[in-house]
Amino acid sequence: MARQTETKDDAISQLWHQLEKRRTSMLAVRDSQQHPQPMTHFADVENGAIWFISSSDSDLVKATGLGADAQLTFVSDGQDYHASVRGPIEVTNDPDKLDELWSFAVGAWFEKGRDDPKVTLLRMTPRESAVWASQGNAVLVGLKLLRASMSETEGHPDVGVHHVLQLNT
């Protein structure tokens, strides 16, 4: 269950924790006219980066070119945490980082494994994120929705928190 954070610092820590916990997201290069695509991401809290491994002949890498703005969309396994992360993305040549991130699962996407010349490392530096954390108990959320819909004075149901976070600034 996603914790409902009170402070911006707690919300930033929670974002990185959620990105480390589940490593699949949807990634899009902004202004490229491409649909977001599913990617495995690697959260790097220490360096304030999110890494991706792709193929040099992919639409994603071609759209990135020498640098672009990207948007990552993330939903937790419990569907109680959602994030939209924006920031610059670039192709980078960092053999040590690639070795650190490499796994048999990544290798399955490349004909020649780690030595495939198409292996391309992408680095996204998050600048802004909008996050939503809600109560994971579906019954409790349903009761709050029902109560709010039946009341003329209740207003919107309180089922979570929303933060817009500035990162790496």
Side-chain angles (χ1 to χ4, degrees):
M1 174 165 51
R3 197 169 41 90
Q4 294 187 37
T5 57
E6 297 295 324
T7 69
K8 298 287 185 184
D9 287 342
D10 286 345
I12 290 170
S13 294
Q14 182 179 39
L15 170 65
W16 285 110
H17 172 75
Q18 290 287 338
L19 290 171
E20 288 179 312
K21 190 171 153 184
R22 181 171 190 252
R23 294 193 345 206
T24 56
S25 55
M26 298 293 285
L27 181 65
V29 174
R30 296 175 56 148
D31 300 325
S32 71
Q33 305 301 315
Q34 295 177 343
H35 293 284
Q37 54 190 281
M39 294 291 291
T40 298
H41 64 258
F42 301 90
D44 184 353
V45 180
E46 289 179 24
N47 295 304
I50 303 172
W51 298 90
F52 303 90
I53 300 171
S54 191
S55 176
S56 61
D57 61 0
S58 70
D59 290 341
L60 179 65
V61 172
K62 290 175 185 174
T64 299
L66 298 175
D69 287 322
Q71 184 150 357
L72 174 144
T73 305
F74 173 85
V75 179
S76 69
D77 284 334
Q79 298 183 9
D80 57 356
Y81 188 86
H82 299 75
S84 176
V85 182
R86 290 191 286 202
I89 192 167
E90 62 186 346
V91 173
T92 185
N93 183 17
D94 187 338
D96 292 335
K97 179 54 81 173
L98 188 57
D99 286 342
E100 176 188 327
L101 302 176
W102 195 262
S103 69
F104 77 93
V106 172
W109 292 98
F110 297 94
E111 190 175 310
K112 297 179 183 173
R114 169 67 179 83
D115 297 324
D116 194 310
K118 293 181 181 179
V119 172
T120 304
L121 185 60
L122 299 170
R123 177 189 172 126
M124 180 181 179
T125 305
R127 295 283 188 240
E128 181 181 84
S129 180
V131 298
W132 296 262
S134 62
Q135 296 171 345
N137 183 327
V139 173
L140 181 60
V141 170
L143 288 172
K144 286 184 175 190
L145 292 171
L146 180 63
R147 185 171 78 193
S149 71
M150 295 177 70
S151 172
E152 292 182 21
T153 60
E154 187 70 28
H156 295 290
D158 178 18
V159 295
V161 296
H162 171 248
H163 296 287
V164 175
L165 309 170
Q166 300 305 311
L167 308 160
N168 291 308
T169 54

